Amino acid sequence: MNRTFFLIIVALQIAFFLAWEHLGYSHGEAYVFLSGIVLLYFRRKYMDMKPYWGGDLSDIPKYFTRK
């Protein structure tokens, strides 16, 4: 999952949340929170990062480099 795809999905999540709230539905915050966790999980998985509990956080700069 490259950076562009990641940012597009984040933008779509925000747009979906705004539309959801505009239509008057509740629990949009829960959707954004849970889908954000899933998105970060797949981002780390496809960048071959260790799980958060698997070691130190020295691999976080991979988020900010081009692949």
Side-chain angles (χ1 to χ4, degrees):
M1 177 183 299
N2 62 20
R3 182 187 305 175
T4 305
F5 187 67
F6 178 76
L7 292 175
I8 289 171
I9 291 179
V10 169
L12 287 174
Q13 282 182 323
I14 293 169
F16 183 78
F17 169 73
L18 293 174
W20 190 263
E21 290 291 318
H22 180 70
L23 293 173
Y25 297 115
S26 60
H27 306 300
E29 299 86 9
Y31 162 76
V32 170
F33 179 73
L34 293 175
S35 60
I37 290 173
V38 170
L39 180 62
L40 288 176
Y41 168 77
F42 283 113
R43 174 95 168 137
R44 288 182 65 86
K45 179 180 177 187
Y46 290 114
M47 291 185 78
D48 297 324
M49 294 181 180
K50 294 179 183 176
Y52 295 112
W53 59 88
D56 60 0
L57 299 177
S58 63
D59 61 351
I60 287 178
K62 285 176 122 178
Y63 279 115
F64 305 103
T65 59
R66 292 188 180 261
K67 188 169 184 182

